[in-house]
Amino acid sequence: MVILMKDGIYKCMLFDGIEQEETDMILSVLGAASRHFPKGSTVLEPGKSPGTMGIVITGQVQIIKEDYWGNRTIISDMHEGDMFGEASCCDIRELVPFSAVAVSDADIMTIEHSRLFCGGRLPCSCHNRLLYNLTRSLAVKNNTLSRKISHITERSTRDKLMSYLSEQAYLCGRNSFKIPFDRQELADYLSVDRSAMSNELSKMRREGLIDYRKNNFRFL
């Protein structure tokens, strides 16, 4: 059964430029279904054959890669209206290489990728717009991952922190900003040791470079 939570769906890039009435019709054709996930639960497990892509309707979801020994890397952070799994759906020969975990209580809507690509009962104008929006979404995600690579390939923990925090300040348009991660999540995102990162943040504050309280930061 499709449960529509309007704001999260209408914020999704997949439906950009499509009227709300048409969006409701499209969701029905695409076999959309929603499910609630409690905080800490797994939304998508790695190693599965992708059959659907997901849209975050409410809450927060993190895309995570974990190695054999349990070392965790946060690939991306998803909020209301964000999509995940669309790249895997475009190449159904590959198994899903990541997991998706609900950081807070979350409602997720899934869409069957086979119906999205074949179009079926969708008007041509809607189908063309959906495929165009999907391509845009993949391009945006590719750029986001490229920026992440630029952070984690910096040589030192300080350089990684400065690269990431500078980007966040730029995106906010001011020197005071809030990041979406706690300390452990930030360490996992930047692929650094948490203790070493916390020590480096303390040094940077003592040197008058930054100030912070929890996940609120300010460049001095």
Side-chain angles (χ1 to χ4, degrees):
M1 180 177 64
V2 176
I3 303 174
L4 293 182
M5 298 183 184
K6 305 293 185 181
D7 291 344
I9 289 299
Y10 298 141
K11 287 181 180 178
C12 182
M13 184 181 291
L14 187 65
F15 304 107
D16 183 48
I18 299 175
E19 297 294 331
Q20 293 186 3
E21 294 79 8
E22 291 179 320
T23 298
D24 294 343
M25 176 272 295
I26 290 170
L27 289 172
S28 177
V29 171
L30 297 183
S34 63
R35 179 181 169 188
H36 179 77
F37 291 87
K39 178 180 179 180
S41 60
T42 300
V43 177
L44 179 64
E45 294 182 356
K48 301 291 185 180
S49 179
T52 60
M53 65 180 70
I55 302 172
V56 181
I57 303 174
T58 64
Q60 180 184 2
V61 173
Q62 288 178 350
I63 307 302
I64 295 171
K65 185 71 178 292
E66 196 167 358
D67 66 19
Y68 181 81
W69 295 274
N71 298 310
R72 191 180 74 151
T73 298
I74 296 177
I75 299 175
S76 57
D77 192 55
M78 303 279 137
H79 296 268
E80 187 177 295
D82 290 334
M83 283 190 294
F84 60 89
E86 66 270 37
S88 297
C89 286
C90 288
D91 187 1
I92 59 175
R93 298 169 299 176
E94 295 293 329
L95 300 180
V96 176
F98 56 80
S99 61
V101 177
V103 181
S104 65
D105 287 353
D107 292 288
I108 307 298
M109 179 167 285
T110 57
I111 292 175
E112 297 179 19
H113 71 82
S114 58
R115 299 193 188 189
L116 174 63
F117 290 116
C118 72
R121 291 177 288 133
L122 291 175
C124 287
S125 58
C126 289
H127 189 222
N128 291 338
R129 185 70 192 191
L130 283 173
L131 295 180
Y132 171 74
N133 289 342
L134 178 62
T135 304
R136 283 180 57 213
S137 174
L138 291 170
V140 169
K141 191 155 291 186
N142 181 67
N143 290 334
T144 300
L145 292 175
S146 295
R147 293 198 300 270
K148 174 180 166 61
I149 291 172
S150 72
H151 302 325
I152 65 176
T153 53
E154 293 287 349
R155 293 184 180 274
S156 69
T157 298
R158 175 174 292 203
D159 290 340
K160 292 179 181 182
L161 283 166
M162 289 299 290
S163 177
Y164 173 73
L165 294 175
S166 296
E167 180 192 65
Q168 294 302 302
Y170 172 77
L171 293 175
C172 288
R174 56 182 184 274
N175 67 328
S176 296
F177 51 93
K178 184 177 182 179
I179 66 172
F181 303 125
D182 60 24
R183 290 293 180 271
Q184 184 60 60
E185 291 170 339
L186 180 58
D188 290 341
Y189 182 79
L190 295 176
S191 298
V192 297
D193 178 76
R194 176 181 175 176
S195 296
M197 185 195 72
S198 297
N199 289 337
E200 198 60 52
L201 286 171
S202 297
K203 290 179 183 178
M204 292 164 66
R205 178 156 63 179
R206 288 197 301 269
E207 293 171 13
L209 295 174
I210 62 172
D211 194 13
Y212 57 85
R213 177 178 172 80
K214 294 185 178 180
N215 58 347
N216 292 287
F217 285 80
R218 181 165 63 96
F219 278 119
L220 303 177

